[in-house]
Amino acid sequence: MLLYDQDGLTVRGHLQFGLNAVAERNLFWDLAATTAPGSGFDPDTNWLEGYIKPGVSFEYQLDTGAVFYGKLSAVSSYTWGTDAFDTGDTGATTLEEAYLAIRGDLGTGLSYDLSLGPRELTLGTGMLIANGATSGFERGALKFGPRKAWEMAAIGRLSFGNVTGTAFYLDPNELPTTDGNNELAGFDLRFGDPAGGFLGATFVNVLNSDSPYPQAAPGGVGAPTVTPGAREDTSTLSLYAKTSPFSGALENWTFTGDFAYQWNDRIDLEAWAGRVTAGYTFASLPWSPNLTLGYQTFSGDDPDTAKLERFDPLYYQGSPSAWATGSKSASTFINSNVNAVTLALRVQPTRQDTWTLRYAHIRANELNSPVQFGQATRVDVNGNVVSGVTDAHLADDLFLEYSRIINRNTFLTAGVSVSFPGAGIDNVVGGSADPWTGGFVNVVVNF
């Protein structure tokens, strides 16, 4: 929304808000009935959540040719009713973006962009660095997750042609009740093809952290060991790539690849993760169907070694279209000690309407080793799921999503999903666990 444009100064207003209705049945396959029978956790719940995100941004053209710019925004969110993590009727208003920046040209094809202050930053495909803030719990709007900006970010970019280097310092906007005092720094180098492909590498080091790591009990017998502050000094190097459009026999094909290696000599950590996808668009068929097959895997801790092999996914983009492992299961399993074969079919009956069907077959990489950690699923550190499973098959998830562009500012999304528990979950329950089902419908308005 243009508010002012004169004498080299442009000021714009921003406003985004949304409302989301959610229903869940047999949440987390009702594991609480077995692992925490005295908790009173209700696996069936409905809730409504909403948020509003107002903001203002500016750009000022300097006499030198550089552009001085910045943005200020906030998020106010609330949850009515009780959400999936047994929290409700609560919300908060927090600062979102509040940065100042300058960009310009240095000559000989070089350009720069420097910024300081809370703002969003996603690197690569969002495997490690994407979601800089936490919603849900005392802040409300668990499913929407409207907060994205880092609490503090210092970002410097230098570009030459299609190559961009980014150096960064990041402090995530964590929940006050679980603030791990995390600080990250690193760099990213990316080559972007104007046709759409890219190739890049990201290095991230955890400068400071109080966040714990779990480690499997020796031989996988008993509860895991939890080491406070273990994340500090963890380093991760990732490579990512996506193909540009092909011609000839590979026309309509798209391939992506990600690989990450992680280490921390202080705690003897060595872990890895990766993903490959292959997508094909049936361009000559009605509705232009696109079929994408993928496999993603994140190492788990081997209970038969003294080394820690659990992969830390850091601040990944956890939506089903990005790096979630499954749909329902993404609320339970973070990207550590899990792997998944995924299949997505997308069709577009019209330019405004999109239907997407997603399937994920989810397994554990290591048996009797921590599968889930840090998610409020009523299973504490001594619970069976945290300690590990005795069968690798965790779940099979189906998710049908519909999106409609109502107009240039208004977007409707609805979905239904079901997670069928695998033998690993059945063994925790001690029988045949029932499926976990749910659905949602939301509207987002963005100016």
Side-chain angles (χ1 to χ4, degrees):
M1 297 182 288
L2 184 62
L3 302 179
Y4 182 88
D5 188 3
Q6 191 173 337
D7 300 325
L9 176 63
T10 302
V11 180
R12 296 182 183 276
H14 307 269
L15 180 62
Q16 183 182 98
F17 56 90
L19 198 62
N20 189 29
V22 186
E24 299 283 358
R25 296 294 178 268
N26 205 46
L27 273 161
F28 311 114
W29 313 283
D30 200 15
L31 287 175
T34 301
T35 61
S39 66
F41 180 71
D42 188 350
D44 301 331
T45 187
N46 310 305
W47 76 90
L48 185 68
E49 57 185 37
Y51 75 95
I52 184 168
K53 185 188 294 188
V56 61
S57 65
F58 77 92
E59 290 188 356
Y60 181 66
Q61 185 75 47
L62 301 176
D63 293 338
T64 60
V67 176
F68 182 52
Y69 68 101
K71 187 176 182 181
L72 177 67
S73 65
V75 175
S76 184
S77 58
Y78 199 86
T79 294
W80 297 268
T82 302
D83 66 19
F85 291 156
D86 202 28
T87 303
D89 295 322
T90 187
T93 298
T94 58
L95 181 69
E96 181 69 355
E97 295 185 289
Y99 65 88
L100 295 174
I102 187 170
R103 64 175 183 262
D105 296 324
L106 295 172
T108 65
L110 282 172
S111 62
Y112 66 91
D113 192 335
L114 308 174
S115 73
L116 179 65
R119 73 176 303 181
E120 296 183 23
L121 176 68
T122 297
L123 297 175
T125 60
M127 180 186 191
L128 300 170
I129 301 297
N131 192 10
T134 306
S135 297
F137 302 94
E138 65 262 33
R139 290 177 172 174
L142 172 72
K143 287 282 189 179
F144 259 144
R147 295 168 179 83
K148 306 295 182 186
W150 303 85
E151 185 173 319
M152 178 53 68
I155 305 168
R157 286 194 174 99
L158 190 64
S159 300
F160 180 78
N162 296 326
V163 179
T164 300
T166 304
F168 59 88
Y169 163 85
L170 302 170
D171 179 355
N173 183 5
E174 303 176 84
L175 292 168
T177 53
T178 55
D179 192 338
N181 296 310
N182 288 277
E183 297 176 59
L184 320 170
F187 60 85
D188 177 85
L189 185 65
R190 177 186 179 109
F191 169 79
D193 189 328
F198 51 77
L199 174 66
T202 303
F203 171 77
V204 184
N205 177 254
V206 181
L207 302 175
N208 182 74
S209 179
D210 297 330
S211 296
Y213 282 165
Q215 185 165 7
V221 180
T225 300
V226 177
T227 305
R231 173 182 272 183
E232 186 168 316
D233 297 332
T234 294
S235 296
T236 309
L237 178 64
S238 72
L239 305 175
Y240 57 90
K242 178 183 178 182
T243 58
S244 297
F246 292 107
S247 59
L250 290 177
E251 186 179 10
N252 300 322
W253 282 95
T254 301
F255 301 94
T256 72
D258 293 81
F259 176 77
Y261 173 72
Q262 193 169 75
W263 69 97
N264 188 333
D265 294 336
R266 182 176 61 84
I267 59 170
D268 196 18
L269 164 70
E270 188 175 17
W272 54 270
R275 180 175 73 177
V276 291
T277 71
Y280 184 79
T281 300
F282 298 86
S284 61
L285 295 181
W287 299 4
S288 300
N290 175 272
L291 188 65
T292 300
L293 176 66
Y295 175 75
Q296 59 192 50
T297 181
F298 310 89
S299 65
D301 184 42
D302 185 346
D304 295 323
T305 69
K307 184 184 291 289
L308 178 59
E309 296 95 353
R310 173 193 179 272
F311 185 77
D312 180 355
L314 296 175
Y315 300 90
Y316 65 100
Q317 172 54 268
S319 69
S321 61
W323 279 96
T325 297
S327 51
K328 289 293 185 200
S329 299
S331 300
T332 307
F333 309 130
I334 65 171
N335 288 349
S336 180
N337 195 21
V338 289
N339 66 74
V341 175
T342 61
L343 189 65
L345 175 62
R346 186 186 72 242
V347 295
Q348 290 187 283
T350 71
R351 292 180 61 184
Q352 291 78 33
D353 299 286
T354 302
W355 290 88
T356 306
L357 178 64
R358 304 183 191 279
Y359 165 74
H361 175 74
I362 306 160
R363 304 180 69 85
N365 276 329
E366 297 284 350
L367 299 180
N368 300 310
S369 178
V371 170
Q372 159 296 320
F373 187 75
Q375 308 293 290
T377 56
R378 307 295 290 200
V379 181
D380 64 19
V381 72
N382 296 311
N384 290 305
V385 174
V386 174
S387 299
V389 291
T390 56
D391 188 285
H393 184 196
L394 295 172
D396 292 276
D397 286 11
L398 279 171
F399 177 35
L400 178 63
E401 183 180 45
Y402 167 69
S403 299
R404 177 168 178 80
I405 303 173
I406 297 175
N407 55 48
R408 60 181 296 181
N409 303 110
T410 310
F411 308 89
L412 170 72
T413 306
V416 292
S417 58
V418 56
S419 181
F420 299 95
I425 300 299
D426 287 342
N427 291 346
V428 174
V429 173
S432 181
D434 292 329
W436 167 13
T437 61
F440 70 91
V441 58
N442 65 56
V443 175
V444 173
V445 180
N446 191 16
F447 292 98

